[in-house]
């Protein structure tokens, strides 16, 4: 069988353009079927019928079942190393050949020329393991595993500077929106109108080929696990870490193939879930991460491995990652300019994991209990008011004087228990739980990074800060000092690029929900005037705009402020003057000329 038959069509531009925007934390409960359903079907140059591909794979499995596994492996690995044109077809044949050697999905036995049945048998476990080890070493080698899947021209920081013009919250107007749009159109060339150069086409083919090669090699790891089943467990020490690296890739096809491989490994190796797979192998995984973080220039994928582990584990991992988190924070301190965005992604995944592992339910419960207590206290005050009124009326009429005098003679006993408590010594502050201590350390870094020149980094830091506030909300004595420290930097973000303003306002709403009266004066004095004036200034613009306006950042900013301002005012218990200013700014959005969602948010 010629390997050219299995040559892939890698001209589809969507292969390299599709990015993995879904958060691994949010996809924690996704099933294996969902990962398999999203895997893109392979397209071949010389045939399109799926039945042809099924027959070819059946032939490969039959070769592995009846042939000499060592000779076939050596021959195909030689073809794999010779040329990049043979690499992907040779890998597909190797994967199915190993499955066939294990007796998986092999066709019915065939008859020889003399009519007798040809006897075949599956390879022994030792032969399979030796074959799998040699193929895995080739797949996960530096040249074949760390392939380039993203073009150098797609630098995210440069895109942030080009795409997003710095118009501010106080000066959002229709003329500025038009001018900023015009500027962005002049800066960014249109890919549809510019002619494709031969170099760009060759780069696209190379990137697509690399993506498909990684996907096929990841499928191969799953095939090897299916062939060895529980005997594959010793090989996890060398194969699981590379798979986790690819599960954290930004390229959609690669990350989905890696997640599907992890599900297959956990299933055939006897693990009930991905969580058990990662927890049982976390010791050497974290050891590799710790070593690679110290050589980040040579192992830039180490933070992504930690991100995937956090996404698919539970709180039992926290004692093991405490030192790793300190290594990440130290590496962040030493490389703000180079790797801050990558480390902030890891810190965001860590904070989302901590919020999932340790939800501050006690804080919410205490708030609800305090609310109920205050309501009962209010009822009690009303009853006491009526009793006092009745007593004053009796005193005015000359009755009840003797009873009042006897009550005045009663002296309450001295509080002896308080003196006994005070004599015990000075108060000692209890040690914080590890997850709160980690949160405070991360929040310290966020305060310093909120003013970074990179918009992309500022957005990530605001996401991390929001999760930090949520986790710390169960300890008010720890949260309020940190809120005081981050307030000046957060206030500057409310006059930043509209994307940053959206995130900063979301953090402000979270702070208002958790800190309450602590922020009342600051919000009333420093935030409400700016938000009210911005809403009033943008109301005529949105009233005159057409349906396209709902796709602009200005509209999204208006909608977010209108949706969050009411609950923020309620949480902070603002004065009547502040509420009047907010209502006056929101009144124009009740007009029928405003977009429907702005009218609903205003209500």
């Amino acid at each position: 069988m010629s390997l050219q038959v299995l040559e892939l069509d890698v001209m589809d531009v969507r292969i390299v353009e599709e990015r993995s925007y879904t958060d691994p934390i949010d996809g924690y409960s996704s099933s294996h079927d969902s990962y398999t359903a999203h895997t893109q079907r392979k397209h071949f140059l010389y045939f399109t019928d799926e039945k042809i591909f099924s027959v070819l794979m059946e032939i490969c499995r039959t070769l592995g079942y009846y042939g000499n596994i060592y000779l076939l492996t050596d021959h195909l690995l030689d073809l794999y190393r010779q040329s990049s044109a043979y690499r992907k077809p040779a890998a597909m044949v190797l994967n199915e050949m190993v499955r066939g050697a294990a007796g998986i999905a092999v066709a019915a036995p065939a008859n020889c020329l003399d009519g007798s049945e040809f006897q075949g048998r599956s390879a022994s476990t030792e032969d399979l393991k030796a074959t799998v080890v040699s193929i895995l070493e080739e797949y996960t080698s530096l040249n074949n595993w760390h392939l380039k899947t993203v073009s150098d021209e797609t630098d995210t920081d440069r895109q942030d500077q080009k795409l997003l013009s710095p118009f501010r919250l106080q000066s959002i107007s229709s003329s500025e929106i038009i001018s900023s749009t015009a500027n962005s159109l002049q800066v960014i060339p249109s890919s549809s109108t510019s002619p494709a150069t031969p170099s760009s086409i060759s780069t696209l083919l190379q990137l697509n080929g690399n993506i498909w090669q990684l996907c096929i090699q990841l499928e191969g790891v799953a095939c090897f696990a299916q062939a060895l089943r529980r005997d594959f467990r010793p090989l996890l020490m060398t194969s699981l870490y590379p798979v986790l690296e690819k599960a954290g890739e930004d390229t959609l096809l690669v990350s989905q193939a890696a997640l599907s491989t992890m599900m297959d490994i956990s299933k055939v190796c006897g693990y009930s879930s991905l969580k058990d797979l990662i927890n049982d192998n976390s010791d050497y995984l974290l050891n590799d991460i710790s070593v690679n973080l110290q050589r980040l220039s040579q192992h830039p994928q180490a933070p992504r491995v930690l991100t995937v582990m956090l996404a698919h584990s539970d709180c039992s991992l926290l004692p093991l990652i405490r030192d790793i988190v300190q290594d990440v924070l130290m590496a962040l301190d030493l490389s703000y300019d180079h790797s801050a965005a990558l480390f902030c992604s890891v810190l965001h995944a860590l904070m989302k994991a901590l919020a999932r592992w340790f939800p501050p339910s006690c804080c919410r419960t205490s708030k609800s209990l305090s609310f109920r207590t205050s309501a009962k206290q209010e009822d009690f005050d009303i009853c006491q008011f009526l009793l006092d009124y009745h007593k004053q009326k009796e005193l005015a009429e000359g009755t009840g004087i003797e009873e009042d005098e006897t009550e005045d003679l009663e002296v309450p006993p001295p509080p002896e228990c308080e003196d006994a408590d005070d004599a015990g010594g000075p108060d000692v502050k209890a040690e914080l739980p590890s997850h709160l201590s980690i949160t405070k350390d991360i929040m310290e870094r966020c305060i310093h990074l909120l003013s970074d020149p990179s918009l992309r980094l500022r957005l990530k830091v605001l996401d991390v800060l929001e999760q930090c506030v949520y986790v710390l909300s169960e300890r008010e004595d720890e949260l309020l000092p940190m809120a005081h420290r981050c307030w000046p930097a957060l206030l500057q973000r409310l006059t930043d690029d509209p994307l940053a303003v959206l995130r900063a306002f979301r953090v402000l709403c979270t702070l208002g929900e958790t800190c309450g009266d602590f922020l009342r004066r600051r919000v009333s004095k420093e935030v409400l005037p700016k938000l009210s004036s911005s809403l009033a200034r943008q109301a005529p613009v949105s009233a005159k705009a057409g349906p396209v306006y709902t796709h602009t950042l200005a509209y999204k900013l208006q909608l977010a402020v209108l949706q969050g301002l009411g609950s923020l005012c309620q949480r902070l218990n603002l004065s009547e003057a502040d509420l009047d200013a907010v209502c006056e700014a929101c009144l124009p959005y009740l007009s029928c000329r405003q977009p429907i969602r702005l009218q609903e948010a205003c209500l």
Side-chain angles (χ1 to χ4, degrees):
M1 180 183 66
S2 176
L3 291 181
Q4 293 180 352
V5 178
L6 291 173
E7 187 173 350
L8 288 168
D9 182 10
V10 293
M11 285 296 295
D12 191 357
V13 71
R14 291 174 298 177
I15 298 174
V16 72
E17 283 188 346
E18 285 187 315
R19 317 304 293 165
S20 179
Y21 292 112
T22 56
D23 197 334
I25 297 287
D26 298 334
Y28 173 74
S29 60
S30 298
S31 63
H32 177 259
D33 295 335
S34 64
Y35 291 128
T36 307
H38 287 100
T39 304
Q40 185 168 335
R41 188 172 66 90
K42 298 180 181 69
H43 298 278
F44 296 90
L45 277 179
Y46 302 112
F47 63 89
T48 57
D49 193 350
E50 191 69 23
K51 294 180 181 179
I52 298 177
F53 178 66
S54 300
V55 172
L56 290 174
M57 294 299 100
E58 185 177 338
I59 294 173
C60 297
R61 291 192 294 270
T62 305
L63 281 174
Y65 186 75
Y66 291 103
N68 188 312
I69 186 68
Y70 290 109
L71 291 177
L72 291 171
T73 302
D74 292 341
H75 175 65
L76 289 170
L77 283 179
D78 287 339
L79 293 175
Y80 181 90
R81 299 185 188 102
Q82 281 179 10
S83 171
S84 59
Y86 292 134
R87 197 161 293 154
K88 290 179 285 296
M92 281 188 279
V93 175
L94 279 169
N95 299 342
E96 292 300 319
M97 187 194 67
V98 171
R99 293 184 70 213
I104 300 174
V106 180
N111 292 329
C112 298
L113 294 177
D114 58 357
S116 62
E117 185 175 304
F118 184 81
Q119 298 294 330
R121 63 181 182 85
S122 58
S124 64
T125 303
E126 290 76 13
D127 293 340
L128 276 176
K129 186 176 290 188
T131 303
V132 165
V133 168
S134 61
I135 300 175
L136 274 178
E137 288 178 354
E138 192 67 34
Y139 279 2
T140 57
S141 63
L142 184 63
N143 294 331
N144 297 324
W145 195 255
H146 298 285
L147 299 176
K148 188 177 179 181
T149 59
V150 180
S151 174
D152 291 334
E153 297 178 359
T154 59
D155 186 14
T156 325
D157 289 326
R158 288 190 306 216
Q159 285 183 359
D160 290 339
Q161 301 299 329
K162 292 180 180 181
L163 284 170
L164 303 171
S165 56
F167 55 102
R168 305 290 179 175
L169 176 63
Q170 299 101 324
S171 59
I172 298 176
S173 63
S174 58
S175 60
E176 289 180 354
I177 293 173
I178 295 172
S179 62
S180 65
T181 307
N183 292 334
S184 64
L185 289 176
Q186 291 174 2
V187 169
I188 301 172
S190 174
S191 58
S192 59
T193 57
S194 58
T197 60
S199 61
S200 63
I201 295 176
S202 61
T203 302
L204 174 66
L205 294 177
Q206 182 182 1
L207 294 177
N208 286 349
N210 291 343
I211 291 171
W212 272 119
Q213 181 181 336
L214 288 174
C215 291
I216 294 169
Q217 291 174 174
L218 286 165
E219 292 172 2
V221 178
C223 292
F224 305 153
Q226 292 170 6
L228 291 174
R229 302 193 69 80
R230 287 183 177 268
D231 292 325
F232 190 76
R233 282 194 173 194
L235 300 181
L236 290 176
M237 295 185 66
T238 56
S239 60
L240 186 56
Y241 186 92
V243 174
L244 290 177
E245 278 185 348
K246 297 309 170 186
E249 276 273 349
D250 292 332
T251 307
L252 185 63
L253 285 181
V254 176
S255 62
Q256 286 179 347
L259 288 170
S260 180
T261 299
M262 290 168 58
M263 293 294 296
D264 287 333
I265 291 174
S266 64
K267 182 178 179 182
V268 299
C269 289
Y271 297 104
S272 58
S273 63
L274 284 181
K275 179 186 70 175
D276 293 337
L277 171 67
I278 291 177
N279 287 347
D280 286 355
N281 300 279
S282 59
D283 49 356
Y284 59 83
L285 286 174
L286 292 174
N287 179 67
D288 290 343
I289 293 174
S290 179
V291 172
N292 292 338
L293 281 176
Q294 300 174 11
R295 299 174 294 175
L296 195 61
S297 59
Q298 302 175 15
H299 304 277
Q301 302 292 335
R304 291 181 177 176
V305 179
L306 181 58
T307 301
V308 177
M309 289 185 66
L310 292 170
H312 300 284
S313 187
D314 57 10
C315 58
S316 63
L317 193 66
L318 183 60
L320 300 176
I321 66 171
R322 192 180 307 166
D323 295 335
I324 300 292
V325 172
Q326 296 302 322
D327 293 341
V328 170
L329 294 177
M330 184 179 297
L332 177 62
D333 294 337
L334 298 176
S335 59
Y336 275 115
D337 298 334
H338 306 290
S339 306
L342 181 61
F343 284 123
C344 282
S345 299
V346 178
L347 296 180
H348 187 223
L350 173 62
M351 290 313 306
K352 294 199 76 171
L354 292 179
R356 190 179 75 247
W357 297 343
F358 306 98
S361 56
C362 58
C363 173
R364 308 292 178 189
T365 307
S366 63
K367 287 188 176 182
S368 61
L369 289 177
S370 64
F371 177 77
R372 295 174 186 173
T373 306
S374 63
K376 292 181 180 179
Q377 186 68 30
E378 185 177 356
D379 296 339
F380 173 77
D381 292 340
I382 293 175
C383 296
Q384 187 65 36
F385 171 77
L386 294 175
L387 290 174
D388 292 341
Y389 175 76
H390 181 66
K391 183 184 291 186
Q392 294 296 330
K393 186 177 181 181
E394 288 180 346
L395 291 174
E397 294 174 353
T399 60
I401 298 178
E402 296 179 358
E403 181 182 356
D404 183 66
E405 289 178 353
T406 57
E407 288 180 357
D408 292 340
L409 292 176
E410 295 180 1
V411 179
E416 297 179 358
C417 58
E418 293 183 4
D419 296 338
D421 293 339
D422 294 338
D427 293 335
V428 178
K429 189 175 180 181
E431 186 178 356
L432 279 177
S434 57
H435 69 284
L436 295 182
S437 177
I438 290 173
T439 302
K440 281 191 65 178
D441 292 339
I442 294 175
M443 201 167 179
E444 291 275 358
R445 270 69 174 189
C446 291
I447 295 172
H448 298 298
L449 289 173
L450 275 177
S451 302
D452 192 88
S454 171
L455 173 63
R456 182 167 67 106
L457 182 58
R458 294 199 301 272
L459 296 178
K460 289 187 177 183
V461 171
L462 287 169
D463 289 336
V464 177
L465 185 63
E466 182 183 8
Q467 295 297 326
C468 290
V469 172
Y470 178 76
V471 174
L472 273 181
S473 61
E474 65 179 84
R475 288 292 185 94
E476 192 177 60
D477 55 337
E478 301 291 342
L479 174 62
L480 296 186
M482 299 302 296
H484 171 74
R485 291 192 56 192
C486 75
W487 180 258
L490 181 63
L491 193 64
Q492 292 297 320
R493 302 286 69 77
L494 289 172
T495 57
D496 201 342
D497 188 277
L499 281 176
V501 173
L502 283 172
R503 306 283 180 92
F505 184 74
R506 194 169 64 189
V507 175
L508 176 64
C509 292
T510 307
L511 278 173
E513 182 181 353
T514 54
C515 296
D517 298 341
F518 179 75
L519 295 178
R520 180 189 303 154
R521 184 176 178 183
R522 304 180 190 220
V523 172
S524 173
K525 183 179 178 181
E526 302 176 60
V527 177
L528 280 185
K530 297 177 181 178
L531 293 179
S532 300
S533 61
S534 174
L535 286 174
R537 189 163 47 247
Q538 278 296 106
V541 178
S542 57
K544 298 177 182 178
V548 183
Y549 182 75
T550 57
H551 299 282
T552 62
L553 281 175
Y555 167 80
K556 295 177 182 178
L557 181 58
Q558 286 174 286
L559 182 62
V561 172
L562 288 172
Q563 288 175 339
L565 200 54
S567 59
L568 182 64
C569 294
Q570 183 180 7
R571 294 283 184 183
L572 299 182
N573 196 17
L574 296 177
S575 62
E576 292 185 4
D578 294 328
L579 294 178
D580 288 341
V582 172
C583 292
E584 186 177 353
C586 294
L587 278 177
Y589 291 92
L590 294 176
S591 171
C592 61
R593 296 184 177 182
Q594 295 285 350
I596 298 297
R597 293 194 64 189
L598 292 185
Q599 297 180 41
E600 295 173 351
C602 178
L603 293 174

